[in-house]
Amino acid sequence: MRWFEDGRLRFAVGVEDTFIPQTEPGERALDEYELMQHYRFWREDLDYCAESGSEMVRWGIPWYRIQPQAGTWDWEWLDRVIDHFDELGLELVTDLMHYGTPLWLDDQFVNPDYPQRVAEYAAEVAERYRGRIRHYTPLNEPLLNVMYCGEFGQWPPYRTGDQGFVAVLRGITRGIVTAQNAIAEVDESADFMHVEASFRFGGDLDAHHETHEHLRHRRFLIQDLVMGRVGDDHALAPYLRGHGFSDDDLAWARTHTAQPDVIGVNYYPQHSTELFERGVTRTGGPRDLRPRLNAGTEGMKDVLRLFAERYGKPVFLTETSYTGTVDERIAWMTESVEAVDQLRSQGVDVVGYTWWCITDMIEWSYRTGDQAAMNYLLTMGLWALDEQPDGTLRRTKTPVAEAFHRFATRDR
């Protein structure tokens, strides 16, 4: 793979790119590019990505804007963005999907035409930017996507429970496969990084053995499905069959696959480890979350090692950061880079490190809240977002950016 031929650890940054444009009463559209004013300051933001010393940038395409109607494409803005990536010499890792679908696609991920529609979109992008976009993530954090859309009923199509989870799972996994294969047919030089959220569990696991066992296997379920690894002997095959996944679905998943070149793992020390408590039963849903345990670098090393061993692929830390003060962010960056170096010295094939994100971002709770966007600000960026009297979000460089630059350029 082109990225990693010299064996160096690649450093990347990301631009937060969640897009949930559909709304119901009491909800607001969640478009982070709009909320962070990236549509206005995209050129400056990409300049800052280059200034940070990063070689690679995870950045997503807002499908709902690129294809405002079925069969209608608007490339003008995206053309300018891709041109600027070329001018800066930054390697773009494109999030083809970061949660949301276009407004015109009824029922979103459970629409029977979704796999075909997302494949058409993928092919159009690959054809237009053949040889210029070389790295793709077909869909970011698919398990989290399925949970919010199919289990919690918080994002469209607002399904709930096990039946909803499996229904959305079917559409999303098929869409990953059809989108990746469509890109590969158009551009043989393209490669693929599958990116999943990390789910860890601590606390009194024995008291919640059955739930923990299910969740422990579920964290790998989507990657297992898209790689054709779910047969009758898979631990979750009975669960899938019991909640609407047919034999035909299983057969399709075994014969239609999308093999990644790299496995991306997202890890946040403050959020990625759930805590089970004796005598306390929680759904784990957005309104009844289990407490979070800060497992630090040990948790991060655990998930990177698990994904590397399970799939036999290089792993890339595709998102990490710390929401807090400048000093807290620098401390986590220092500790986490050192931990990645330790893993590499032990033979774990970690090929990249990503700080998420280049600027501060707006928390997802904005969607169901009623306050101004800046009341949901997460201070996690290399550049701060400072609101001006006229509402402009000025980008202010922080010492976190200087710390990242030292790490990112150390081997160059």
Side-chain angles (χ1 to χ4, degrees), residues 270-320:
Q270 297 159 295
H271 306 292
S272 293
T273 303
E274 300 180 26
L275 187 64
F276 283 94
E277 305 162 284
R278 182 174 291 274
V280 179
T281 300
R282 299 179 184 271
T283 65
R287 295 175 181 85
D288 190 21
L289 287 172
R290 299 182 187 93
R292 264 35 183 186
L293 173 69
N294 187 337
T297 57
E298 290 307 308
M300 187 191 74
K301 289 190 289 186
D302 176 45
V303 294
L304 288 171
R305 190 180 289 111
L306 281 172
F307 275 88
E309 291 174 352
R310 187 178 185 92
Y311 298 112
K313 300 282 186 179
V315 290
F316 200 121
L317 182 62
T318 35
E319 291 181 24
T320 196

Side-chain angles (χ1 to χ4, degrees), residues 213-214 216-218 221 224 229-241 310:
E213 279 297 294
H214 175 76
R216 186 173 67 85
H217 291 292
R218 193 177 77 166
L221 178 58
D224 286 351
R229 291 176 167 223
V230 178
D232 291 336
D233 60 343
H234 193 279
L236 294 186
Y239 168 80
L240 291 173
R241 283 199 170 97
R310 187 178 185 92

